[in-house]
Amino acid sequence: LLAALGLDEKASGNDVRARKFLEAAAAANVQRARAHLELGRLRLDEARAKPAAPDGQLDAAQVTAVLTPLFTARKQPPPMAEVYGLIAETWSLSVTRPQAEHLGVVIEGVRLFPRDTALLMQATLLAAKRGSPEEAKALAERGLKVATDTGDQDRFRMMASAFERDTDPNAKKTEEPAPPTKSDSFLIKQP
């Protein structure tokens, strides 16, 4: 009943009342994935409004608060692409660099929903943030194959080519700039 009331309030746009009911439902370990998803979404919105880390990023406590109901939703039927998308979005906003197991959860979502281009895009960006250009390139190439929208195709194509350069051992490294000429010496601060 708490979950139903919370979901109804959320659908009505009353996030404050929805949050109260959904928090109570989560505390009662309700078996309703959508309720946990919406609670995670509300917590993420709150964290985004008041980020606790520099540059608008979320600190560890905020990330944990958002991910807790999302991981509960992940374990309950039915599986939902939105759960994995919010997990990816949360990790992308985290001040802490996501680890391999964090990306692995998002990849699990990609395997369950292989044609969800929004989830593929989030997974690709998360892999890039994690510093895994090989994984990011593979995800971008998969996105290019399944995307039906030309805008999405262009974005995946652009990302795949960028990650191709990052993973190609024969790619030319950017050269160091030449030392300044005498006419440019005014740009150099004297010690």
Side-chain angles (χ1 to χ4, degrees):
L1 180 62
L2 292 170
L5 290 170
L7 292 172
D8 188 48
E9 291 292 340
K10 178 79 171 108
S12 298
N14 191 344
D15 290 351
V16 174
R17 285 181 52 88
R19 174 91 184 252
K20 288 178 185 176
F21 287 122
L22 293 173
E23 289 286 359
N29 293 323
V30 68
Q31 294 294 310
R32 191 150 182 196
R34 174 70 58 188
H36 294 283
L37 167 66
E38 293 304 333
L39 178 57
R41 191 183 318 271
L42 288 169
R43 287 181 180 180
L44 180 59
D45 290 344
E46 180 183 301
R48 245 188 289 189
K50 295 179 183 176
D55 300 323
Q57 294 184 309
L58 309 182
D59 69 3
Q62 289 175 310
V63 169
T64 300
V66 174
L67 291 179
T68 299
L70 295 176
F71 273 74
T72 301
R74 179 177 153 244
K75 295 175 187 171
Q76 296 178 358
M80 294 181 281
E82 295 166 285
V83 169
Y84 293 98
L86 277 179
I87 290 170
E89 186 176 348
T90 303
W91 274 116
S92 70
L93 293 171
S94 173
V95 71
T96 306
R97 185 174 157 223
Q99 300 300 311
E101 58 269 16
H102 304 139
L103 180 60
V105 170
V106 177
I107 300 299
E108 172 187 303
V110 169
R111 286 188 188 116
L112 288 170
F113 304 98
R115 304 195 75 68
D116 190 310
T117 54
L119 181 57
L120 272 165
M121 183 69 69
Q122 289 173 312
T124 303
L125 295 172
L126 186 61
K129 179 176 181 170
R130 188 183 166 294
S132 302
E134 299 86 12
E135 291 171 325
K137 177 180 169 252
L139 288 163
E141 288 171 346
R142 177 184 266 185
L144 183 57
K145 290 178 186 175
V146 301
T148 56
D149 178 72
T150 55
D152 286 342
Q153 290 171 342
D154 290 343
R155 282 186 283 281
F156 281 120
R157 185 177 295 110
M158 183 177 64
M159 288 191 303
S161 65
F163 297 129
E164 176 70 32
R165 285 190 305 270
D166 291 348
T167 59
D168 184 4
N170 298 321
K172 289 184 179 179
K173 302 287 184 203
T174 56
E175 294 181 21
E176 292 293 320
T181 60
K182 188 158 185 114
S183 63
D184 294 335
S185 62
F186 67 91
L187 297 174
I188 301 174
K189 293 183 179 179
Q190 298 298 323

